[in-house]
Amino acid sequence: MEQLPEFTADMCIKCNICTASCPVAAVTDLFPGPKTVGPQAQRFRKPDSRGKGSPDKSVDYCSGCGVCTMVCPHGVHVMEMNARARAALYDGHIPLRNRILGRSELLGKIGHPVSGLANMAMNFRPMRILAEKIIGIHRDAPFPKWAPETFRSWAKRHISPPGTSGKVVLFHGCAGNYYEPWVIKAAVAVLEHNGYEVVVPQQNCCGLPLISNGEFDAASAYAERNLKSLAPYAEEGIPIIGVGTSCTLTLKSDYREILGLRTPESEALAAATYDISEFLLLAYERGDLKTDFVGFEPEKTALYHAQCQLRAHKMGLPALELLRMIPGLKVFQSDAVCCGIAGTYGYKVEKHEISMAIGEPLFTQAAELQPDVIACGSETCRWHIEANTGIRTVHPVEILAAAYGFMGLGEQLR
Amino acid sequence: MAKKSIGTDVLVIGGGATGSGLALDLALRGLRVILAEAGGVAEGTSGRYHGLLHSGGRYAVRDPESAAECALENRILRKIMPHAIEDTGGLFISLPDDPPEYADEWLAACHKCGIPAEEISTSEALRLSPNLNRAVKRAFWVPDGSCDSFDAINSLFRAAEANGAEVWLYSPVVEILREGDKVVGARVKRLREGEEVEIRARWVVNSAGPWAAKVATMAGCKVGMKLSRGALIAMNVRWTHIVLNRCRMPSDGDILVPVGTVSIIGTTSVTVQDPADTRVERWEIEKLLAEGDAMVPGLAKARALRCWAGVRPLYEPDAGEADGEGREVKRTFTVLDHEERDGIGNFTSILGGKFTTYRLMAEKTADLVCAKLGVNTQASTANYVLPDPHDGIGHHYFLGARLRELERGPDPGELICECEIVTRAGIEHALRNGSKTLNDLRRDLRVGMGPCQGAFCAFRTAAIRQATLGITHSEAIGDLESFLRERWKGFKPLLWGHNLRQALLAESNYRRILGLPMPDGPVADTAQPQHIPQAEIPPAPELPDGKGKKVIVIGMGIAGLTAALTALRAGAQVHLVAGGLGKLHISPGWLEILDAEGDLSDAIGRLTSERPDHPYALAGPEALRDGMAIVLEAAARHGLEWYGGFGQGMALLTLAGLRRRVALAPKALAQSAVASSDTLIVGFKHSGGKEWRDFYPHLIAAGLGARAVEIEMPSPGRFDAWPQELARRMENPAIIGQVAAEVRRHLGGASAVGFPAVLGLYMHRDVLARLQDEVGVPVFEIPTLPPSVPGMRLYEALRKELLQGGAEITIGAKVVRGVTDGDRCVGIAIGTVNRERILRANAVIMATGGLFGGGLESDHKGKVWEPIFGLPVANVMDRDKWFGQFLDSNGQPVHKIGLRVDNSMRPLDESGGVALKGLHLAGRQIAGYDPYTEGCSEGVDIATGFKAAVAALAD
Ligand SMILES: Cc1cc2nc3c(=O)[nH]c(=O)nc-3n(C[C@H](O)[C@H](O)[C@H](O)COP(=O)(O)OP(=O)(O)OC[C@H]3O[C@@H](n4cnc5c(N)ncnc54)[C@H](O)[C@@H]3O)c2cc1C
Ligand code: SF4
Ligand code: SF4
């Protein structure tokens, strides 16, 4: 039976393994834990008890980090269940803050033409205090800076040489387009170096920020548009490669699992989508990855943090495996299950403290280790980690680009 | 028995829906009524029914009279008992196998009987019930509902009492008194009061449901009945939120009703002689699941929570001419005027009917009685809104009500039964208001009715009961055991798949965490205070050279962790892959090797020579010692000091204040061996003064004959604290200081102090040392309910050791199949969220656990399979024989099911040859032992984990 996540509650045997592993329950009294708000509460939920009638309240404290689903030995999709319960909780009453946080693409668009000004405003303390008071976005939460040129406008000028290894579609995501185009450029460089022709078709925000802020209808509209422009490539067998692990997860699974869009197009897109590290590791396993790394001299250190969204891919840690191949790079693995930001969770004023407590083990480890860079595949995590450790935090593909000699470690590719 | 005599207008015999409805009706007409019910609330058919408030649709074609009655009463009951009714709505669905012409005939019949049935599109039907079979051909909406019989009957009792009736529970009528050809009363045994009462009544009504023929006989009347037994299965979750009926001639398994938190599939029809024959036969279970699966595909694989049967009290006017099986006997009811029929006056029987029509049945019966007694008041029950026993407001029952109360109330209260959301306050209230045993509490509050099978809540409730009623340790534990034994009968027929996993978790809790079953003698005698030596860690074993080899280990339990560590120590490259975490989080955190008297090494020697197929014998005598050397040493590096060894076992204290034999344990747990009557047991309490729900010091102390004290919990939160949360708080030196100061105040002359096992998680060693130092006497830990902090400490230690040694760990990746090359395993495939990923290795070690961990799967037909490689499973007996008695002292046969291995831990096929090369097995998956009664859980895991790794490297 192909089941919606809520029905996996049937398999919960109440062992509490998820409860013991949840990073939020570990640091706050406001959250009773995954089993309680997940499979246990699910038995008392009905699809029509939404909005005001919803019996839930505490499920809002779930950060969506996915640790529970990962550790559950009995197949319960706790995190996914919680995401759907959260959406029901907000039904029709979505707070302004969630609406803002959910619209990273719109924010990107609005800020971009006036990036200089916008950046100033975002760093302007009184403005942030006001934002905290009025809409509940914490004053210290990391907001990125708008880049002077978007990735898409760079891509318009850039001509990807016809590859020896075939064509790939690049899904850059909102952050990659507006805030960190150099990360996507690094991905393009690495792919092209390995003989792939990179295509950048029309695309939207994947919709995840909307999903995690409980706006399923708006997210579905984004999803439909992406399906329309990307599914034809997928159907032709052209891999769709994403750089943000959360974006790729949304394409791979959330459209179907959480939004419930189960169409041939969504199946095709899901099947063709790859996380960049996953794609490169598979190429390596086939013997197709160039290993002509120049490496690092003298030896450099990197602390790799596996971000939450990666877990739900259930594919292991391909980025770590790639980084370990690089000569002259000593890689350490972060011991924290979550950096605390968990998408947009840590932006919310009532959750900021929880978020900082969750990230604590990672920040301590980084402070002790003092690596040259921290590597992490998710943008919000990178901003949060960099803001709290003061250590340059990059996407693993940027380290690969540096290892191929395209730029120095920790520099931005122009 | 003392005798009493008492007079009344009407005596009603039997307090099911009919009798309680009748008592109210008569009381409202101004008559004095006594209702005598043999059992408790809803003990008869009314408490064993399907829960469906019929729209009438089911009877429309064949029994239009019943159908019309149902349709009418459905509307009335929604008005008068909204709190007991959930307005689910219902669907009649035609599946491809159902006769297509029936649907039209049915629809026309419905309209004739006044049932507002309405055809809807199949896509609308699928929207209303998303799990419904997509092949559905036609669908019709009807105003079905579901009705909780406990709530309904409770409120009928209340209303009757409020109007002057007396309701006597546990009061069987044992004799009907006659004077000449007139009935004048009855003799009633009052079981709880221990007395016998003679009731003189102007009229007696027999509403004893399926027992009505027996009761009629007491009055000298012969009544023909067709007793038709029907089985029902409650599925763990609501697979549908709207009632589903098959649109075909009524038959087995064609209704699925969402009632409260479950959905109930039913029913069957078997003619029986005895009204107490409520067996459920194996064929009935399989039939119901198969039929349910037709409506909701996948249902047969889902969790079936409990099953039961009820007996329909159908009237059969003339035994000779009954037309066929029970379901075809008319479902209308019959009021028998025995004066007219048998010449016996002042006596009436009411037979047949439905739950849905109880009110009408009561009204018609009362009409007759009143006419005879010359009372001319009319029935008013159709407009009499019944009181809500939960004191709610007059809206329909709402599934989320309990959850909302818990979440939005001023204080969430302590959740004792988490599955059914029962709080401590509720339990204490019930105990003060007549509930005596755990079984009473179950009936009153639904404690222990949820999916966990009482694995957590039953013990908590038993401990609260002990404190509230002030009873002895053995009385409390005795009642717990008898409650669990009784529940066990209901679960046993349904143990496969995830429900079986649940039963195995429960067994692990009962035996290992609680130390059940209770020994015959007094508990304190089972162990003399022991002096426990610090363990000598055996010398590091010689290992084959693993350099350049890649080993994949599947499974994060202690067997997998041992195998991974061993391979890592040998220099191999190790990738540990697991679908989820293993059992350490729910284990007590100590290491059991064998439950045997005397020296453990000798006992193992004897065992292996007697049972050459035992995993200890197969792994060989060295494997246990060598594996232990690796595990103990790794854990010691992360702060766990080990005590005990391979000599005499230690008798460590359990959460129920009993003892369990353990070979090796971390210091804090091991020191409980010294516990005696001059020990102080310390627990935590909320600021409100109640103990923390996962540890009950008074109960443990009662078992030891020792003292207990509760101290304020370090910073209690809004919700119940979990063990690991308390453990993290205990890592704060200021809190240790406060706790120690409190304990010193209560120390008296105690020679040692026992705490719940929450003395630090990551900094346990420091917490223990500091606390012991500040308290001034030895301090020990006693396991709590899971998650187990000592288990987590061990897990964390081994995980860190692996990561620091460079092993790769992938959790949450389900291994979907093995990758083979000819007769050799060369890797595994994991199912990522959207594709398979192949991981290759020189050798694979599978330590995925048994029927609990998912290393073996099972289904309702009793099939058992190994899902990754499809290896042959040994010792599979018929499913009926998987389990014996609850906590059977011979162990449960199901544990012996498993995979056979040779002494290199290679899997064997049926003929004894190696099934697959390059693959080695470890842990619970291996056939032929019972970890719980043999007390060898961790021992076998570690021995086989070690052996599998060594053999894999030598391959
Ligand atoms: C499997 C099954 C499913 C059903 N599903 C439905 C359904 O979904 N909807 C519906 O409307 N109906 C349903 N019914 C029918 C319905 O349950 C019964 O018709 C109804 O509950 C009968 O109630 P009652 O009060 O007549 O009998 P009971 O509930 O059996 O009450 C009789 C009572 O008499 C007591 N008693 C017996 N002997 C004595 C004595 N000597 N002294 C004192 N007390 C005595 C018994 O303890 C018992 O409590 C179902 C029946 C079965 C068997
Ligand atoms: S969701 Fe999974 S891990 Fe959590 S309690 Fe249930 S079965 Fe255990
Ligand atoms: S998703 Fe993360 S925060 Fe939410 S319940 Fe699961 S483990 Fe806890």
Side-chain angles (χ1 to χ4, degrees):
Chain A
M1 179 164 27
E2 193 168 329
Q3 282 169 9
L4 288 169
E6 40 271 42
F7 289 100
T8 63
D10 190 40
M11 296 188 285
C12 172
I13 65 162
K14 313 268 159 180
C15 67
N16 277 333
I17 284 179
C18 55
T19 309
S21 313
C22 169
V24 174
V27 300
T28 176
D29 293 331
L30 297 168
F31 187 57
K35 179 187 76 173
T36 309
V37 303
Q40 205 156 277
Q42 189 60 41
R43 299 180 76 240
F44 295 88
R45 289 186 188 124
K46 270 181 80 170
D48 55 2
S49 49
R50 299 173 68 117
K52 274 203 169 139
S54 159
D56 294 296
K57 200 158 72 175
S58 44
V59 70
D60 193 43
Y61 275 92
C62 161
S63 76
C65 73
V67 170
C68 45
T69 302
M70 169 182 89
V71 298
C72 173
H74 303 288
V76 184
H77 294 181
V78 192
M79 177 269 281
E80 294 82 351
M81 196 181 296
N82 293 352
R84 290 174 63 89
R86 232 181 0 254
L89 186 65
Y90 286 138
D91 196 38
H93 305 270
I94 296 174
L96 175 64
R97 179 198 50 202
N98 290 36
R99 290 189 186 274
I100 292 178
L101 291 175
R103 283 174 174 70
S104 49
E105 184 170 27
L106 192 65
L107 279 183
K109 267 194 202 140
I110 295 173
H112 167 68
V114 288
S115 57
L117 209 65
N119 287 338
M120 248 167 68
M122 282 316 241
N123 287 325
F124 185 47
R125 193 85 184 150
M127 170 102 171
R128 291 297 301 273
I129 294 177
L130 209 63
E132 176 178 306
K133 292 260 153 64
I134 299 175
I135 53 177
I137 293 177
H138 195 274
R139 62 186 76 170
D140 292 334
F143 267 95
K145 289 194 169 61
W146 280 269
E149 185 187 32
T150 65
F151 171 73
R152 291 193 72 84
S153 63
W154 174 85
K156 278 205 194 97
R157 280 185 279 121
H158 175 80
I159 298 160
S160 192
T164 48
S165 317
K167 243 190 230 179
V168 295
V169 164
L170 196 68
F171 190 84
H172 48 66
C174 316
N177 191 32
Y178 294 107
Y179 309 122
E180 300 185 328
W182 55 87
V183 175
I184 317 297
K185 288 186 213 168
V188 173
V190 169
L191 286 166
E192 286 177 354
H193 181 68
N194 281 288
Y196 295 98
E197 180 186 342
V198 180
V199 197
V200 186
Q202 197 52 46
Q203 50 188 277
N204 275 134
C205 168
C206 63
L208 179 68
L210 288 170
I211 294 176
S212 46
N213 286 288
E215 289 196 65
F216 280 20
D217 293 343
S220 299
Y222 276 3
E224 302 283 3
R225 285 205 293 272
N226 279 329
L227 284 169
K228 205 161 152 223
S229 92
L230 300 177
Y233 291 95
E235 278 156 2
E236 249 182 79
I238 299 175
I240 318 273
I241 299 175
V243 180
T245 2
S246 32
C247 311
T248 44
L249 181 69
T250 311
L251 305 187
K252 279 177 170 187
S253 123
D254 292 359
Y255 287 177
R256 290 179 302 158
E257 274 266 310
I258 297 183
L259 296 179
L261 298 173
R262 291 182 172 161
T263 60
E265 289 77 30
S266 71
E267 302 290 331
L269 178 63
T273 302
Y274 294 83
D275 170 70
I276 178 105
S277 303
E278 175 190 25
F279 185 79
L280 295 172
L281 185 66
L282 288 173
Y284 172 79
E285 284 172 355
R286 288 192 307 268
D288 288 345
L289 189 82
K290 290 207 182 131
T291 48
D292 54 347
F293 298 114
V294 296
F296 302 108
E297 224 343 328
E299 195 185 64
K300 303 271 188 192
T301 53
L303 173 62
Y304 175 72
H305 175 69
Q307 71 280 20
C308 297
Q309 300 294 346
L310 181 61
R311 256 190 290 280
H313 285 254
K314 303 189 174 163
M315 61 186 181
L317 305 175
L320 183 66
E321 289 180 58
L322 288 170
L323 294 180
R324 283 191 168 146
M325 291 172 199
I326 297 173
L329 185 70
K330 199 165 165 43
V331 190
F332 296 88
Q333 200 181 336
S334 136
D335 209 23
V337 289
C338 174
C339 73
I341 199 77
T344 55
Y345 184 81
Y347 285 78
K348 300 172 184 170
V349 64
E350 76 281 11
K351 288 157 187 145
H352 186 75
E353 204 178 309
I354 299 175
S355 150
M356 294 303 292
I358 295 171
E360 192 13 65
L362 173 61
F363 306 151
T364 312
Q365 194 184 5
E368 281 166 9
L369 203 63
Q370 285 299 324
D372 295 298
V373 289
I374 298 174
C376 179
S378 144
E379 55 277 357
T380 41
C381 302
R382 284 198 294 277
W383 304 334
H384 183 63
I385 297 170
E386 189 163 305
N388 287 289
T389 59
I391 296 169
R392 180 86 184 98
T393 305
V394 300
H395 190 288
V397 81
E398 292 182 83
I399 301 183
L400 283 175
Y404 281 127
F406 304 147
M407 81 272 191
L409 183 65
E411 289 171 14
Q412 299 177 357
L413 188 60
R414 312 226 135 248
Chain B
M1 272 196 186
K3 270 211 182 158
K4 266 213 296 218
S5 182
I6 194 170
T8 187
D9 289 334
V10 184
L11 168 67
V12 176
I13 305 175
T18 315
S20 48
L22 180 61
L24 173 63
D25 191 316
L26 292 167
L28 284 173
R29 298 191 205 211
L31 288 162
R32 289 177 305 146
V33 182
I34 293 177
L35 177 123
E37 161 57 47
V41 180
E43 288 249 322
T45 310
S46 301
R48 306 176 149 268
Y49 87 133
H50 203 156
L52 174 61
L53 180 71
H54 278 286
S55 62
R58 186 168 177 80
Y59 307 111
V61 170
R62 216 195 36 215
D63 187 357
E65 196 184 337
S66 286
E69 286 167 4
C70 285
L72 188 69
E73 288 300 308
N74 179 307
R75 282 195 283 273
I76 295 174
L77 297 196
R78 282 166 187 268
K79 269 198 329 230
I80 64 170
M81 51 166 72
H83 61 272
I85 290 171
E86 186 183 343
D87 184 15
T88 58
L91 294 177
F92 273 74
I93 51 161
S94 286
L95 295 181
D97 286 349
D98 297 331
E101 64 288 353
Y102 182 80
D104 292 314
E105 182 191 349
W106 173 83
L107 189 62
C110 281
H111 290 160
K112 249 202 211 137
C113 310
I115 301 163
E118 196 185 312
E119 178 146 23
I120 60 171
S121 68
T122 53
S123 57
E124 177 64 4
L126 285 164
R127 193 188 65 76
L128 290 169
S129 188
N131 294 313
L132 176 63
N133 190 340
R134 308 209 146 247
V136 57
K137 289 274 178 254
R138 295 179 74 179
F140 306 86
W141 185 91
V142 292
D144 281 338
S146 70
C147 179
D148 184 300
S149 58
F150 292 87
D151 283 349
I153 292 179
N154 260 324
S155 56
L156 284 168
F157 284 167
R158 271 212 196 185
E161 284 172 339
N163 287 287
E166 286 186 42
V167 175
W168 294 5
L169 297 182
Y170 304 103
S171 304
V173 168
V174 290
E175 188 189 340
I176 289 185
L177 307 174
R178 264 175 58 181
E179 278 171 12
D181 52 11
K182 288 218 181 320
V183 168
V184 294
R187 222 150 42 75
V188 178
K189 264 202 175 127
R190 304 214 64 189
L191 300 174
R192 295 257 156 133
E193 290 76 7
E195 60 183 21
E196 210 170 273
V197 181
E198 203 176 272
I199 299 177
R200 310 291 295 186
R202 293 168 64 206
W203 203 274
V204 174
V205 182
N206 165 18
S207 55
W211 290 270
K214 292 198 169 174
V215 170
T217 316
M218 291 187 205
C221 307
K222 196 166 166 295
V223 168
M225 283 186 83
K226 177 118 204 158
L227 298 183
S228 157
R229 190 186 75 200
L232 295 159
I233 303 177
M235 306 303 293
N236 181 28
V237 300
R238 291 173 48 128
W239 290 102
T240 180
H241 290 290
I242 184 167
V243 176
L244 297 179
N245 305 268
R246 281 290 277 282
C247 193
R248 66 178 186 197
M249 270 309 206
S251 144
D252 286 350
D254 47 12
I255 310 182
L256 182 63
V257 187
V259 186
T261 49
V262 300
S263 43
I264 303 177
I265 179 78
T267 165
T268 53
S269 178
V270 180
T271 303
V272 293
Q273 300 311 317
D274 180 0
D277 178 358
T278 49
R279 273 173 303 163
V280 176
E281 293 174 69
R282 172 91 172 259
W283 70 264
E284 296 180 282
I285 293 174
E286 288 181 10
K287 176 92 187 172
L288 291 179
L289 290 175
E291 291 292 340
D293 203 79
M295 289 196 283
V296 171
L299 194 88
K301 289 206 180 70
R303 263 175 87 176
L305 209 56
R306 43 180 190 272
C307 63
W308 66 93
V311 177
R312 300 179 185 90
L314 304 184
Y315 177 49
E316 198 175 40
D318 189 333
E321 67 188 37
D323 44 359
E325 272 310 291
R327 211 176 259 121
E328 268 120 74
V329 178
K330 288 230 167 177
R331 292 305 169 82
T332 44
F333 58 90
T334 309
V335 184
L336 294 182
D337 178 348
H338 289 291
E339 179 149 46
E340 207 170 84
R341 186 177 178 267
D342 311 295
I344 306 282
N346 303 4
F347 185 54
T348 304
S349 293
I350 166 78
L351 300 161
K354 307 287 312 163
F355 192 97
T356 309
T357 56
Y358 87 85
R359 195 208 59 85
L360 185 65
M361 294 161 68
E363 180 178 321
K364 296 287 179 220
T365 312
D367 282 349
L368 181 94
V369 173
C370 287
K372 300 270 184 181
L373 293 179
V375 175
N376 11 340
T377 7
Q378 295 295 306
S380 55
T381 49
N383 294 311
Y384 186 90
V385 176
L386 295 163
D388 178 355
H390 305 302
D391 297 321
I393 11 164
H395 51 61
H396 279 150
Y397 166 83
F398 160 56
L399 178 63
R402 283 186 185 199
L403 184 60
R404 183 148 69 177
E405 207 175 302
L406 185 78
E407 289 248 336
R408 312 231 160 150
D411 173 12
E414 288 164 280
L415 257 193
I416 300 302
C417 170
E418 300 173 55
C419 304
E420 291 293 336
I421 310 195
V422 180
T423 60
R424 172 196 289 271
I427 291 171
E428 288 177 346
H429 178 84
L431 284 170
R432 281 192 300 267
N433 286 281
S435 276
K436 296 206 162 55
T437 62
L438 290 188
N439 202 37
D440 293 347
L441 290 167
R442 175 188 70 82
R443 244 205 327 270
D444 292 349
L445 301 170
R446 306 184 65 78
V447 177
M449 297 276 275
C452 92
Q453 302 175 359
F456 294 79
C457 55
F459 169 70
R460 289 177 183 149
T461 311
I464 292 172
R465 177 174 171 267
Q466 189 252 345
T468 312
L469 303 181
I471 52 179
T472 64
H473 180 262
S474 59
E475 225 178 307
I477 303 294
D479 182 52
L480 171 65
E481 284 188 359
S482 77
F483 172 77
L484 293 173
R485 194 168 293 120
E486 198 46 42
R487 302 299 296 146
W488 175 246
K489 290 186 198 149
F491 301 136
K492 206 175 123 176
L494 302 172
L495 297 181
W496 64 81
H498 277 71
N499 221 30
L500 172 58
R501 296 189 190 194
Q502 185 76 69
L504 298 176
L505 171 65
E507 186 177 7
S508 163
N509 274 3
Y510 300 147
R511 288 199 192 261
R512 278 160 56 86
I513 305 276
L514 301 181
L516 299 179
M518 194 168 40
D520 296 333
V523 176
D525 283 5
T526 55
Q528 292 303 314
Q530 265 177 311
H531 172 71
I532 300 299
Q534 184 155 7
E536 278 172 42
I537 298 183
E542 292 258 343
L543 295 171
D545 184 7
K547 288 237 163 39
K549 290 203 172 165
K550 173 151 190 188
V551 177
I552 289 176
V553 179
I554 319 171
M556 282 295 258
I558 190 146
L561 290 165
T562 306
L565 265 175
T566 306
L568 196 69
R569 289 276 184 276
Q573 191 195 339
V574 174
H575 190 169
L576 189 56
V577 181
L581 296 186
K583 227 165 46 182
L584 273 172
H585 287 60
I586 56 169
S587 303
W590 56 48
L591 307 177
E592 296 180 6
I593 289 182
L594 199 65
D595 183 11
E597 302 288 334
D599 184 82
L600 283 179
S601 299
D602 295 349
I604 292 174
R606 283 194 303 275
L607 174 85
T608 52
S609 61
E610 278 163 27
R611 288 167 60 188
D613 277 343
H614 194 280
Y616 275 148
L618 294 166
E622 296 307 320
L624 178 62
R625 219 165 259 274
D626 291 348
M628 278 296 174
I630 286 184
V631 170
L632 298 181
E633 186 260 350
R637 280 214 259 169
H638 296 271
L640 293 178
E641 266 178 85
W642 294 96
Y643 280 67
F646 295 85
Q648 186 98 9
M650 305 179 278
L652 302 191
L653 210 52
T654 69
L655 179 58
L658 301 168
R659 301 269 183 177
R660 177 107 180 145
R661 195 184 322 257
V662 172
L664 287 143
K667 182 177 181 182
L669 288 170
Q671 286 188 354
S672 78
V674 306
S676 67
S677 54
D678 49 61
T679 300
L680 177 68
I681 308 291
V682 175
F684 291 116
K685 66 178 177 193
H686 296 278
S687 42
K690 304 296 184 185
E691 323 100 313
W692 173 47
R693 68 173 179 189
D694 285 340
F695 190 82
Y696 297 85
H698 291 283
L699 182 73
I700 299 168
L704 280 172
R707 269 186 316 122
V709 63
E710 283 153 3
I711 63 175
E712 198 111 325
M713 178 147 16
S715 79
R718 183 178 144 76
F719 293 99
D720 292 297
W722 296 102
Q724 81 278 8
E725 291 176 32
L726 287 177
R728 297 279 295 269
R729 294 208 187 103
M730 286 298 295
E731 292 175 349
N732 178 340
I735 287 181
I736 301 177
Q738 283 165 23
V739 168
E742 257 311 276
V743 172
R744 274 198 312 272
R745 286 204 312 124
H746 296 279
L747 199 56
S751 59
V753 181
F755 282 91
V758 298
L759 304 181
L761 175 54
Y762 300 113
M763 297 152 69
H764 166 62
R765 192 197 178 112
D766 300 343
V767 175
L768 183 67
R770 200 172 179 126
L771 190 64
Q772 187 146 309
D773 200 48
E774 295 197 15
V775 169
V777 295
V779 159
F780 61 85
E781 285 189 324
I782 304 162
T784 65
L785 282 173
S788 148
V789 172
M792 289 171 72
R793 286 178 201 139
L794 182 54
Y795 167 77
E796 279 299 323
L798 300 182
R799 186 186 71 94
K800 284 223 170 75
E801 192 66 8
L802 283 163
L803 274 183
Q804 286 168 6
E808 197 182 327
I809 300 181
T810 305
I811 306 172
K814 191 170 165 59
V815 178
V816 289
R817 64 186 174 89
V819 178
T820 52
D821 181 5
D823 60 355
R824 214 180 155 78
C825 167
V826 294
I828 56 172
I830 58 173
T832 78
V833 71
N834 63 339
R835 63 176 59 86
E836 274 190 3
R837 182 177 167 205
I838 308 282
L839 303 174
R840 290 180 185 274
N842 300 89
V844 174
I845 296 168
M846 178 162 69
T848 46
L851 286 159
F852 173 76
L856 299 175
E857 305 251 32
S858 59
D859 72 7
H860 66 291
K861 300 223 164 96
K863 198 176 122 199
V864 180
W865 66 98
E866 183 279 298
I868 299 179
F869 293 92
L871 296 170
V873 183
N875 302 346
V876 185
M877 62 293 294
D878 187 77
R879 189 165 72 68
D880 295 339
K881 302 203 173 66
W882 286 5
F883 288 94
Q885 299 289 311
F886 175 71
L887 297 184
D888 208 312
S889 55
N890 297 319
Q892 304 296 7
V894 72
H895 295 309
K896 302 274 165 70
I897 297 177
L899 307 178
R900 283 178 56 218
V901 292
D902 67 5
N903 47 24
S904 298
M905 300 295 118
R906 290 179 299 185
L908 298 180
D909 58 23
E910 286 90 347
S911 58
V914 174
L916 194 61
K917 292 189 189 134
L919 176 67
H920 299 264
L921 310 184
R924 189 65 276 267
Q925 207 164 38
I926 296 172
Y929 73 106
D930 178 338
Y932 300 129
T933 42
E934 290 170 28
C936 62
S937 217
E938 286 81 14
V940 167
D941 286 345
I942 290 172
T944 55
F946 174 83
K947 189 61 188 253
V950 168
L953 293 172
D955 245 12

